[in-house]
Amino acid sequence: MSSKWWQKAVIYQIYPKSFQDSNGDGIGDLRGIISRLDYLEELGINAVWLSPVCRSPQKDNGYDISDYQDIEPIFGTLDDMEELMREAKKRNIRIIMDLVLNHSSDQHRWFLEAKKSKDNPYHDYYVWKDGVEGVPPNDMRGVFGGSCWEWVPELQQYYFHQFVPEQPDLNWENPKLRQELYDMINWWIDKGAGGFRLDVIDQIAKEPDKGITANGPKLHEYFRELSKNTFQRGDYVTVGEAWSATIERAPLYSNPDGSEFSMVFQFEHIGLDQQEGKEKWDLAPLPFVKLKEVLGKWQTELYGKGWNSLFWDNHDLPRIVSRWGNDKEYRIESAKMLATVLHGMQGTPYIYQGEELGMTNVQYDIDEYNDVEIKNMYKERLTAGYSKEEIMKSIYAKGRDNARTPMQWDDSKNAGFTKGTPWLKVNPNYTDINVKAQRNDPDSVFSYYKALVKLRKEHEVFVDGTFKMYLPEDENIFAYERKNGNERMVVICNFYGTEIMCPLMDEVKGMDLILTNYKDTEEAGKLRPYEARLYIK
Ligand code: GLC
Ligand code: CA
């Protein structure tokens, strides 16, 4: 199999606000990122997915863009961005930009024009509906709460927004709007972007009249037009974020013919620990056997037909070691185990900043949080009669700020993230968990991730091997085999904190134990708490 560079790659996600501050204002920035490129090179990653750095009023931390062709001043300048791309390139790291094409900021020039009158040329760049004040066109609800419709008295019209009102939805039905977006993307390509992550891209083909947000009838038509006019100019990696993508649709998103995107970023495994049909805040224990079924399905059914992203964490999700690992007595073991399970599968692995250190969730007072989603939910649920305690429990478990606390570089004040006051409080455990403590420690979570990244480059079986799940019904063990013409890899992991028997020893007879999270040699037949083993022959 001849594989593409991004099929062999590992991608590192940077949330710029929280990565490294360079000027003491408490906010991470581009110059801060440039100063940490050597660290990323050492980890061995091939590309950085940079969450949005374009001009933005930051109502949703950059996912509300007011100018797609300029850099937000808190992050730096266009020159800094070009320098970042150049400096990254020297280290063989490509910069993947985050394209927010479903909506803009309400401060975008297009929207300011659109609001002026119904016959303004930009009016049709957004989605409008005539109406009367107080009676929205329908009862569609936004992702962050509230109605999807916002009244503009001057026009006697509502506009449509799937996220907060300051994020009006763009009207993809308008060919002029689409062309502007393509021109903008091509401009970034010319500036040196190495790829693009497409924010909530499954929601662009909305038809609010019919209550349709995700998976509109024209979705894949738009994808193909977008790709043809931009990404197909070269060898760019593109990843489509799609909460609604099913295994049936994924081959369209990521067709090997390159007509849409390189890969899909879907969330089927992520939604498992919530009560069915409810919100992510409605917690439920992880159904482990189901987790294996879901991940296994994506491995076998997409094989040869498309390409998947492998991730546990991102800026919208809690820290995996706190979520499905054990961030108390087995933090290091379980962080390594979770990494092993994920990186051994087929797809392109993503490491979210700090995951490679085993960074954990936080528990703050409600006033110490920043995220608009947390704040809206808190108010809504208080009004709906939930107890404060219950709400806080959900925030501790699933709040997006868990992943957004500053990167922990060392044990100095504010973890070496800033000399000023950080925009979001640093996790108090930074004195123990930080880059400085882990970088030169061969047994650290960091060193383990580094080893995994390296293995993927050395063994093609990570990329093209077939997948077979072992013991799908087992309540503790996550184990599988990957195989191609030359090599066989077996991953055996104990997903929990109790010691158990390992019924798979025959499967690994004569194989080499390449990577494991316990120092002493394996005790034949037993799996210790969160033990992970990766064999290759
Ligand atoms: C995506 C982003 C998230 C953002 C939302 C709206 O899900 O990852 O952070 O709030 O889109 O743009
Ligand atoms: Ca700064």
Side-chain angles (χ1 to χ4, degrees), residues 108 171 302 382 446:
H108 194 288
N171 176 19
L302 200 58
L382 266 190
F446 173 80

Side-chain angles (χ1 to χ4, degrees), residues 28 50 148 221 227 241 297 316 380 401 453 477 484 520:
L50 191 61
C148 272
E221 190 185 309
S227 169
E241 185 202 25
K297 176 180 77 181
D316 295 327
E380 268 190 12
D401 281 344
V453 173
I477 298 174
N484 66 14
D520 45 339

Side-chain angles (χ1 to χ4, degrees), residues 22 52 75 140 190 253 330 363-364 378 404 453:
S22 73
F75 295 133
M140 290 171 79
D190 293 337
Y253 276 84
Y330 294 111
Q363 300 194 355
Y364 292 165
Y378 182 80
R404 299 177 181 186
V453 173

Side-chain angles (χ1 to χ4, degrees), residues 90-292:
K90 283 189 200 157
R91 295 163 177 85
N92 287 317
I93 296 173
R94 309 194 197 208
I95 301 291
I96 299 173
M97 299 206 43
D98 206 326
L99 286 176
V100 188
L101 306 180
N102 175 70
H103 46 268
S104 73
S105 157
D106 65 341
Q107 298 307 307
H108 194 288
R109 180 175 57 87
W110 300 337
F111 192 71
L112 297 176
E113 286 292 322
K115 259 177 33 174
K116 285 184 183 160
S117 81
K118 288 187 194 171
D119 26 71
N120 186 289
Y122 292 98
H123 186 261
D124 194 44
Y125 276 34
Y126 296 87
V127 182
W128 300 93
K129 206 84 209 153
D130 291 333
V132 255
E133 188 170 10
V135 193
N138 59 33
D139 58 6
M140 290 171 79
R141 311 277 300 164
V143 176
F144 302 145
S147 166
C148 272
W149 298 99
E150 187 76 7
W151 179 244
V152 178
E154 296 79 16
L155 299 182
Q156 294 288 298
Q157 281 191 315
Y158 285 93
Y159 69 84
F160 181 70
H161 61 89
Q162 299 184 59
F163 296 88
V164 293
E166 293 89 349
Q167 292 166 300
D169 267 57
L170 290 164
N171 176 19
W172 273 72
E173 303 248 332
N174 182 337
K176 264 170 63 198
L177 176 263
R178 299 205 301 274
Q179 189 59 47
E180 292 234 35
L181 295 175
Y182 306 155
D183 293 346
M184 173 274 287
I185 294 167
N186 285 322
W187 183 84
W188 276 114
I189 287 179
D190 293 337
K191 288 236 173 287
F196 299 92
R197 179 256 185 189
L198 298 118
D199 188 62
V200 292
I201 202 69
D202 56 332
Q203 293 173 223
I204 59 171
K206 52 231 145 196
E207 294 191 12
D209 284 343
K210 300 185 186 143
I212 295 174
T213 52
N215 288 329
K218 294 211 189 113
L219 188 64
H220 293 277
E221 190 185 309
Y222 290 150
F223 287 176
R224 285 190 288 267
E225 188 190 272
L226 163 65
S227 169
K228 196 164 165 217
N229 283 281
T230 56
F231 315 134
Q232 287 176 36
R233 284 175 55 201
D235 193 13
Y236 305 104
V237 61
T238 50
V239 46
E241 185 202 25
W243 285 80
S244 68
T246 55
I247 188 72
E248 289 75 29
R249 255 174 199 267
L252 278 174
Y253 276 84
S254 57
N255 193 323
D257 72 4
S259 56
E260 296 191 7
F261 308 131
S262 314
M263 66 187 95
V264 59
F265 199 95
Q266 56 76 32
F267 295 81
E268 192 173 347
H269 60 300
I270 288 299
L272 291 176
D273 58 356
Q274 73 191 47
Q275 294 163 39
E276 225 181 299
K278 294 219 185 155
E279 294 180 43
K280 72 175 189 183
W281 310 111
D282 301 302
L283 312 176
L286 175 70
F288 176 61
V289 169
K290 181 82 188 165
L291 174 72
K292 290 194 285 185

Side-chain angles (χ1 to χ4, degrees), residues 1 303 459-467 482-489 536-537:
M1 184 180 125
Y303 190 86
H459 297 274
E460 193 81 3
V461 68
F462 277 84
V463 182
D464 64 6
T466 55
F467 181 94
R482 303 282 313 276
K483 207 157 82 177
N484 66 14
N486 307 315
E487 280 180 317
R488 181 167 167 257
M489 165 165 84
I536 297 182
K537 190 78 186 183

